[in-house]
Amino acid sequence: MSSTVPIPLPVPSRNEPRILFITPEVFPLCKTGGLGDVSASLPAALRALRMDVRLLIPGYPQVLTGLKPKRKVAVFEHLKYFPPCVLRAAKLPVNDSSSIPVFIIDCPELYSREGGPYQDPAGQDWPDNAWRFGLLGKIGAILGSDASPLKWQPHIVHCNDWQSGLTPAYLHFHPGRKAASVMTIHNLAFQGNFPPENVARLGLPASSYDMHGIEFHGRMSFLKAGLYYAEHITTVSPNYAREIQSEPLGFGLQGLLSARREQLTGIINGIDETLWNPARDPYIVSHYSHTDLSAKAINKRVLQETMALALDDTVPLFAAISRITHQKGFDLLQQVAPQLVKIPVQLVILGSGNAEMEKSLTALAQAYPGKIAVHIGYTEALSHLIEAGADCFLMPSRFEPCGLNQMYSQQYGTLPLVHATGGLVDTVVDCTPATLNDGSATGFVFHLMTAEQLLATIRRAVELFKDTATWRTLQQNGMAKDFSWRISAAAYRRIYRMLA
Ligand code: ADP
Ligand code: GLC
């Protein structure tokens, strides 16, 4: 684990390419999943490499109230196809040693409303999402071209997921000088597909609505626009980069992605070790490190108290923190739960998402009080306590482009138990005699997405839990691993340098 002493940020070097990092969410202002974490921690890591990185984000209410002071840096009064908006600049404190310059698109008509970034309070997609994120793409393209009103000009626009997918398309059709674009796929399942009429209504040329362009099964696709027009594509793990070039994980885009494989790079996400570090985590009661794990037990007790589980330090405590969706495999977890409580193990779930699944998980907790505890909602503080207090972290994801919690878990001495998919394959080493022997074992991996395999693997973990010395070895192996951005930020820098 890297040093925890705050180091003042070096001034950006003039010799490095300047980057505009375009994202629909960023921690701590607005986060629905891992993209929020990465949008803060990767730019911070690039800043530490002396790169001049600035963010572009929509001005949701929590962004406008959370970032102070702000300067007005440009006004876009007559953007065809979009309501008028103001561009403001501020600094986002990412952790106690860095802050990142941010441009905020202040457009009350599109962003000033109660609810999430993508959905209304009832969980329905905002009907004008094509404009909410079309504007993000449009402003990104303006700032990345000679049409920009700003003095600061990026060499690279770095787009993230479908919400910023139109930037490369707008730039492609811009006749003047422009930045090169990188499109990062955090999740290919979310594509931003809209009716074909939107092509004209968003100011894109009719010629772009083509199989070789932004057309996708009779719709216009924001993500495909990015994947088609960006100079380079990245995704968040090497294994996912391979998986998306064929069925089923290509989600219909496998042809395009394999045709562009020379411009497709898988780079594993890192984690912000200043925020996810059991030796100094402000959300946990009792700190510990890989040289002395004894205090972890105190966190387990606090977690059991907090979640009204039986106070028992001998029972293995399993946990999951996640968006509750089909992707994350909660249906399997639900199927095995009645057997789990008999093994016995305890189970803590923190999550929110699909309303039906939320209900059935809540029913499980009611059926097994003291053994299964479910918290529906989004709670940063509880997520840290769970990472610190649990023994084993479950990720039975059907697919997982990278996944962050399996890395947080390893840093917290909480052994991950994962399905062999995406970034989970790249970051968790299954415990076998060979991996125990060479010191690489850090968790448990199962290969078939079935309830039987999940249950069998949980049983395998519970057996190993009885062998305290070996369990401790696995914890220490995981805690000693380097999940920082050091190597991955340098990999992004290589791509930026190549394109600039
Ligand atoms: P994804 O981006 O697919 O949701 P990741 O594993 O990359 O999955 O990242 C999920 C992030 O969101 C992690 O930081 C995790 O702790 C956090 N998270 C997910 N659900 C919740 C929740 N209900 N409460 C707090 N944090 C959550
Ligand atoms: C996505 C993926 C997740 C990844 C995250 C950050 O939401 O589902 O696996 O870790 O983006 O890249």
Side-chain angles (χ1 to χ4, degrees), residues 62-84:
Q62 69 272 36
V63 168
L64 291 172
T65 50
L67 285 181
K68 283 185 181 126
K70 296 179 284 290
R71 283 180 302 122
K72 189 200 275 188
V73 291
V75 181
F76 298 96
E77 225 156 352
H78 305 292
L79 276 184
K80 221 170 148 188
Y81 313 105
F82 296 100

Side-chain angles (χ1 to χ4, degrees), residues 5 31 37 107 129 133 161 167 290 327 369 376 390 394 402 433 436:
V5 183
K31 163 175 160 185
D37 288 349
C107 181
N129 269 348
F133 299 107
D161 274 355
T167 294
H290 78 289
Q327 173 191 349
I376 299 295
L394 297 169
C402 177
L436 263 177

Side-chain angles (χ1 to χ4, degrees), residues 33-38 161 184-187 190 236 269 323 327-328 395 399-407 423:
L35 174 57
D37 288 349
V38 170
D161 274 355
T184 295
I185 306 165
H186 295 265
N187 195 332
F190 302 117
V236 290
N269 284 332
R323 292 183 292 115
Q327 173 191 349
K328 302 293 181 176
M395 291 180 83
F399 62 93
E400 195 62 79
C402 177
L404 296 175
N405 286 104
Q406 81 282 9
M407 296 192 270

Side-chain angles (χ1 to χ4, degrees), residues 25 27 31-38 186-187 190 236 269 276 320-325 327-328 349-353 375-384 386-387 393 395 397 399-408 424:
E25 52 184 88
F27 177 82
K31 163 175 160 185
T32 69
L35 174 57
D37 288 349
V38 170
H186 295 265
N187 195 332
F190 302 117
V236 290
N269 284 332
W276 292 94
I321 303 168
S322 180
R323 292 183 292 115
I324 298 176
T325 64
Q327 173 191 349
K328 302 293 181 176
I349 295 175
L350 165 63
S352 60
H375 184 100
I376 299 295
Y378 188 95
T379 324
E380 197 67 28
L382 183 57
S383 75
H384 286 247
I386 291 176
E387 286 291 6
F393 194 94
M395 291 180 83
S397 307
F399 62 93
E400 195 62 79
C402 177
L404 296 175
N405 286 104
Q406 81 282 9
M407 296 192 270
Y408 299 152
L424 301 177

